[in-house]
Amino acid sequence: MLHEILLSLSGHPSPLLRTDTSPEADAIAGITPPERQLLSEAARLSDVHIKVTTHAAQIASTHKSTVCRAVASSIESKQLAAFQRKVLDIERGILQDDPALVGAYNIVPLTAVIGEFRPWVRRMEWLWGIVRFMSDVDGATLINRLRDELQSGYRDIEETALSLVQAAESSWLQQVSVWILNGRLPMFGSHDFFVQKVDGQYPGDSDDFTVESSLLPSFVTPGTAASMLFIGKSLNRARLEKSRHVTIYGIEDMPAKIKQLASLSLPLKSSDLTATIVSLRRSLAEKTLQKLLPLSKVTEALQILRDFFLLGRGEFAMALVDEADERTRNRWRRADNLAYDKSEGVSNITVKDGEVAAVLARTWGVLVSRQGQYEEEDDQVEVARGLLQLHLDNPKIPKALTSSHGLSRESVEILSTLPFSTLLFSASASLSIDLPSPLDMILSHSDLNLYSVINSYLLSLRRAHARLTDLWKITSLRRHFPAPSGADEHAVTLRERWSERLSLMRSSWTTASAAVFFLAETEAFLQTEIVAVLWDDFYEWMTRGQQTGSRTTAEASNSSSPAASAAARHSEASGEDEEDIWLGSNGISETAAALPSTESTSRQPFHDPQTLSIAHKRYLHTLTHRLLLTQTSFTQPLYTLLMHIDYLVSHVRRLHSIFTAIDLETDAGVVDAFVDLEREEREVQMQLRGVERKVKRGIEEVVAALRALEADSRFMAEWEGEGVREAREVEEEGADDGERYLPARVGGINRLLMKLDFGSWF
């Protein structure tokens, strides 16, 4: 019977241990009830052992997760093998008359045999629960469960769980090593890995990678996961670029990196893993990415975004507005659709993609012609000319924005639906840029789309301001000269006509002056106290230590011409001869070759691409928030006000054209039989009075919205950047204090409100 029991415990089913409790069976077997109770314990242990063995073997051979396979194999090779050895030890002790098992007259008490296996009952039951749990879970969930079991309080369970945790994390670490050392997804079990491959969002894009948070073990922090994602993406990109620099990391340092990963103790500690990943990231940045993606190229690209998207080059914005307005006026003239009661603004004027592209082409022509007349040749314009595009937006496809900038999902939805892009033309149009690889390692499509949103917002303010000030260029509408002494009756008639019109236009000029004041102060606040301050602070952090007096150089370049500004900042970022990322992608020559370099450079600052990417996203988040783009209580009345300003300008120009036609009819006899000029004059004047009231009310509503925001304590806390300070530790784990970017504090809304108080005379 002992032999049968031991065989059954070894995993071979035995009829002796069947749960048949009938009196006939007991009589036949000759087993007493106490012995039956002991045998039921052995039967239970045997049954659990068989189940664990069967399921572990099945998981080890068929499970989709390599981590689960590794744990199942560890259960087979260690835990179940240890149980088998225990059975053999018991059998050996019985055969060798071990006093612990064999009593007098060579009697082997069943209680002694079963007692030897009782410590395995809890462990085998626990293994059966683990095997059932991992039948349909992923590797990260299993690792988290096993790490929780380390705190069960039972020493035997803790030791078993520790062995399985080591097997699971060792398998997981092998997957990680394939990704962070070679830039490849694991060949087996990639669906279970926390890095997942996603298709390119735009036609022609290469495949991208993202972190699936649900597949991350609990000991991996978000910052560490972001670093691992960046390392793998960088190596993958370097291999796709077929760069010679990838061999520096891939061959010479590979043994050291493997040894560094292998030195991690199991179970993995979050701090040790973070320190190792940060070390690998820095090594990659120093030996590969600084040559593949030098800082000078990053600063050059960001300078283009600052100058052309954030209106750093005012002449580009003004030329673009002028050309767009000229195109719109031409369409108005052809359609004869200028009256407010017919057009309801410009919403029904159709614009085609070719016309929008032609506007940008003419804008570049204007800038180039101005350079030829007044300025030296500016290579930045040529670079931007090959990269920037102006196109109509597809209303069915919203702007691809993500919450990677620290924005909430609600803020992302607000930014995606902002209407300011409809003000330049009658349809939604956006300025975009196609940056060459590998700059997309730092600047994502979401970043560039956010730049487009900000550009539409700032450009709409600049456009409204320019259109209003252009009204003062209509001299005949704004003023008249006194008649000379001894003038005839015609001169007196003209003077009376001009005086009457001047009286009629007085309220219009008052309203336009108030709107100009409001736009001038608002635009000055946004540009000088927010955009310029944040950019200078971010640029100084990005190039810190690169050249002595870099902040002074940056400030001096801001006050100089755009060409000198680009040259000065490029000279700060210039270094050794590097591969040109612009040439080949767009056929544009290297701009740095034409710019002077400096010999007074010191040690370059160490900001690896991931640190730059995180800092840039934080810069964009801060810029978006402080420009009030996510505050619908402000953007909605502001957009309505800008629309009414457009109507005001259109009506004033229309009234001027009517006055001109009336003068021709009265003084020169030029009569249009199909037009009733007096009726149109009355209608336009009536509509003009209505728009004046709307403009005044719109300014009051926008100012009231600013006051409400100033009184909102939660908004002002975000304005001060408290959320940014809390998030920086998570995003930049392992970074030194000098590496972290914290946006500068800028003037509050109260500074703008104090200025606007002077314009509230109506």
Side-chain angles (χ1 to χ4, degrees):
M1 184 176 71
L2 288 176
H3 181 68
E4 191 75 15
I5 292 174
L6 294 177
L7 282 176
S8 178
L9 291 174
S10 298
H12 303 281
S14 172
L16 181 65
L17 301 183
R18 291 177 181 174
T19 56
D20 189 356
T21 57
S22 62
E24 294 79 8
D26 289 343
I28 296 173
I31 300 176
T32 63
E35 291 175 333
R36 174 65 67 182
Q37 182 64 32
L38 293 174
L39 289 178
S40 65
E41 296 181 16
R44 175 59 182 167
L45 184 59
S46 172
D47 182 58
V48 173
H49 179 212
I50 293 172
K51 291 179 179 179
V52 171
T53 302
T54 303
H55 284 75
Q58 183 180 5
I59 292 173
S61 59
T62 62
H63 204 286
K64 296 181 179 180
S65 171
T66 55
V67 174
C68 293
R69 287 192 178 193
V71 172
S73 298
S74 178
I75 291 176
E76 287 184 313
S77 61
K78 293 183 178 180
Q79 311 304 324
L80 298 182
F83 184 76
Q84 291 285 358
R85 288 194 300 272
K86 180 65 175 179
V87 174
L88 294 177
D89 290 342
I90 297 298
E91 185 177 8
R92 185 180 301 108
I94 294 174
L95 295 177
Q96 295 178 356
D97 295 332
D98 186 351
L101 296 172
V102 182
Y105 305 104
N106 292 328
I107 296 175
V108 180
L110 189 58
T111 55
V113 175
I114 300 302
E116 290 292 329
F117 289 102
R118 276 180 181 150
W120 278 93
V121 173
R122 181 171 56 236
R123 185 181 303 182
M124 199 65 70
E125 292 281 357
W126 182 84
L127 286 174
W128 172 232
I130 292 296
V131 168
R132 285 184 299 171
F133 175 77
M134 68 179 177
S135 296
D136 56 354
V137 300
D138 54 76
T141 304
L142 177 60
I143 291 176
N144 295 337
R145 167 70 182 273
L146 293 176
R147 291 175 72 94
D148 292 339
E149 294 293 338
L150 293 175
Q151 311 299 326
S152 64
Y154 296 100
R155 186 176 183 84
D156 54 345
I157 299 299
E158 180 183 350
E159 293 175 353
T160 305
L162 179 61
S163 175
L164 299 184
V165 165
Q166 291 173 343
E169 294 185 358
S170 177
S171 175
W172 180 81
L173 201 57
Q174 290 177 5
Q175 289 183 315
V176 171
S177 63
V178 173
W179 174 249
I180 64 177
L181 297 180
N182 300 293
R184 301 178 185 273
L185 291 176
M187 186 175 296
F188 299 103
S190 59
H191 76 284
D192 192 48
F193 191 47
F194 70 92
V195 176
Q196 294 292 308
K197 188 175 183 180
V198 293
D199 296 332
Q201 185 175 6
Y202 296 89
D205 288 351
S206 58
D207 292 332
D208 198 4
F209 301 90
T210 185
V211 170
E212 183 62 40
S213 301
S214 61
L215 299 178
L216 270 176
S218 59
F219 59 84
V220 182
T221 62
T224 304
S227 295
M228 288 191 286
L229 175 66
F230 174 79
I231 292 172
K233 288 175 64 174
S234 301
L235 290 174
N236 185 274
R237 176 60 55 81
R239 186 172 58 253
L240 292 177
E241 296 287 338
K242 297 181 179 179
S243 171
R244 64 182 185 276
H245 305 304
V246 74
T247 58
I248 298 176
Y249 185 96
I251 296 177
E252 295 180 3
D253 289 350
M254 186 67 76
K257 304 308 175 188
I258 295 176
K259 184 177 180 180
Q260 191 174 2
L261 287 173
S263 64
L264 291 171
S265 60
L266 300 176
L268 292 170
K269 296 180 180 179
S270 180
S271 58
D272 293 344
L273 179 63
T274 298
T276 301
I277 296 302
V278 169
S279 175
L280 292 176
R281 191 188 77 195
R282 290 182 176 178
S283 176
L284 174 66
E286 290 175 350
K287 297 185 178 181
T288 301
L289 298 183
Q290 278 192 355
K291 299 179 180 179
L292 183 64
L293 186 60
L295 181 62
S296 60
K297 302 303 178 185
V298 178
T299 55
E300 186 178 1
L302 292 177
Q303 186 67 54
I304 290 177
L305 292 171
R306 164 67 178 104
D307 288 342
F308 293 95
F309 282 81
L310 304 184
L311 309 191
R313 298 182 68 118
E315 69 275 16
F316 171 77
M318 293 304 299
L320 182 61
V321 167
D322 290 343
E323 294 299 330
D325 283 350
E326 182 62 28
R327 168 66 62 173
T328 304
R329 282 194 292 268
N330 290 339
R331 296 299 297 270
W332 282 351
R333 295 188 189 102
R334 289 196 300 268
D336 192 22
N337 201 13
L338 292 177
Y340 180 80
D341 58 339
K342 296 180 181 179
S343 64
E344 294 296 334
V346 295
S347 58
N348 66 334
I349 298 180
T350 304
V351 180
K352 300 179 181 179
D353 282 305
E355 292 177 317
V356 174
V359 167
L360 182 61
R362 286 195 299 272
T363 301
W364 293 124
V366 170
L367 293 182
V368 172
S369 64
R370 289 177 181 174
Q371 290 178 14
Q373 295 177 6
Y374 308 107
E375 305 174 1
E376 298 179 357
E377 184 178 355
D378 189 355
D379 291 333
Q380 189 190 43
V381 172
E382 295 302 322
V383 174
R385 189 173 185 174
L387 298 176
L388 268 63
Q389 300 174 357
L390 186 64
H391 55 83
L392 295 176
D393 297 329
N394 189 341
K396 297 181 180 179
I397 303 178
K399 292 186 181 298
L401 298 174
T402 64
S403 56
S404 59
H405 305 88
L407 301 169
S408 64
R409 182 172 300 179
E410 180 183 1
S411 297
V412 169
E413 293 178 357
I414 292 173
L415 291 171
S416 301
T417 57
L418 282 177
F420 293 98
S421 58
T422 61
L423 292 175
L424 188 60
F425 298 97
S426 61
S428 178
S430 299
L431 189 68
S432 63
I433 187 170
D434 185 16
L435 289 178
S437 177
L439 280 172
D440 52 354
M441 295 169 59
I442 294 178
L443 302 170
S444 64
H445 283 295
S446 178
D447 296 338
L448 301 181
N449 286 333
L450 189 52
Y451 270 109
S452 297
V453 172
I454 297 174
N455 173 260
S456 299
Y457 172 68
L458 296 177
L459 193 63
S460 63
L461 291 171
R462 180 70 58 88
R463 174 180 176 271
H465 189 188
R467 295 196 72 198
L468 276 176
T469 54
D470 282 345
L471 293 179
W472 270 260
K473 297 179 182 179
I474 310 177
T475 307
S476 61
L477 187 65
R478 182 172 54 87
R479 58 175 298 183
H480 69 272
F481 296 96
S485 58
D488 56 8
E489 294 183 0
H490 180 66
V492 175
T493 303
L494 291 179
R495 185 182 183 89
E496 293 176 352
R497 182 191 306 168
W498 288 334
S499 299
E500 181 183 357
R501 291 177 181 176
L502 207 61
S503 176
L504 290 174
M505 294 296 298
R506 183 175 293 118
S507 62
S508 299
W509 292 119
T510 303
T511 304
S513 298
V516 167
F517 180 85
F518 169 81
L519 291 172
E521 295 300 334
T522 302
E523 191 178 7
F525 173 78
L526 297 179
Q527 283 290 343
T528 61
E529 298 197 26
I530 295 181
V531 176
V533 172
L534 286 177
W535 165 252
D536 289 342
D537 179 71
F538 176 65
Y539 186 86
E540 181 187 12
W541 171 87
M542 187 169 50
T543 57
R544 184 177 301 160
Q546 191 170 8
Q547 179 178 340
T548 57
S550 60
R551 182 59 181 263
T552 304
T553 305
E555 292 175 352
S557 64
N558 287 337
S559 60
S560 61
S561 64
S565 173
R569 286 182 173 171
H570 187 87
S571 66
E572 289 182 21
S574 61
E576 57 181 338
D577 189 15
E578 294 152 341
E579 182 182 354
D580 184 8
I581 63 173
W582 306 99
L583 188 59
S585 299
N586 298 278
I588 303 172
S589 61
E590 172 63 59
T591 61
L595 297 175
S597 61
T598 177
E599 296 181 358
S600 61
T601 57
S602 59
R603 178 181 61 87
Q604 285 192 351
F606 177 75
H607 293 312
D608 61 86
Q610 187 192 15
T611 303
L612 283 175
S613 179
I614 292 174
H616 178 258
K617 291 183 185 301
R618 182 173 302 141
Y619 159 74
L620 270 185
H621 171 213
T622 306
L623 181 64
T624 303
H625 178 71
R626 292 179 180 172
L627 288 175
L628 307 178
L629 277 170
T630 58
Q631 306 300 318
T632 55
S633 61
F634 172 78
T635 56
Q636 287 294 341
L638 178 63
Y639 173 75
T640 303
L641 172 62
L642 295 179
M643 290 289 294
H644 291 150
I645 289 176
D646 268 356
Y647 299 156
L648 177 66
V649 173
S650 299
H651 293 332
V652 171
R653 289 187 176 275
R654 177 59 176 165
L655 190 59
H656 174 250
S657 65
I658 292 174
F659 286 161
T660 303
I662 290 177
D663 291 344
L664 287 174
E665 181 178 331
T666 304
D667 301 334
V670 179
V671 179
D672 187 350
F674 298 98
V675 178
D676 187 350
L677 295 177
E678 287 74 12
R679 182 181 61 83
E680 287 196 10
E681 179 184 1
R682 290 193 300 270
E683 291 177 355
V684 173
Q685 286 181 0
M686 182 179 62
Q687 294 163 2
L688 188 58
R689 298 296 174 263
V691 173
E692 290 171 5
R693 291 191 294 271
K694 291 180 180 179
V695 170
K696 294 176 182 179
R697 186 167 58 251
I699 295 176
E700 294 173 351
E701 290 176 355
V702 173
V703 174
L706 290 174
R707 295 192 186 280
L709 290 176
E710 184 190 22
D712 188 345
S713 58
R714 180 178 178 182
F715 170 79
M716 294 308 298
E718 294 178 359
W719 179 279
E720 295 296 333
E722 294 183 2
V724 171
R725 291 181 177 84
E726 295 173 358
R728 71 171 185 171
E729 299 292 340
V730 176
E731 293 179 342
E732 295 176 314
E733 293 169 321
D736 298 331
D737 291 337
E739 292 182 48
R740 293 175 178 146
Y741 169 68
L742 187 63
R745 292 191 177 185
V746 298
I749 301 178
N750 58 329
R751 296 173 63 89
L752 175 60
L753 286 172
M754 284 189 296
K755 297 178 181 179
L756 294 180
D757 283 340
F758 291 99
S760 57
W761 57 78
F762 49 80

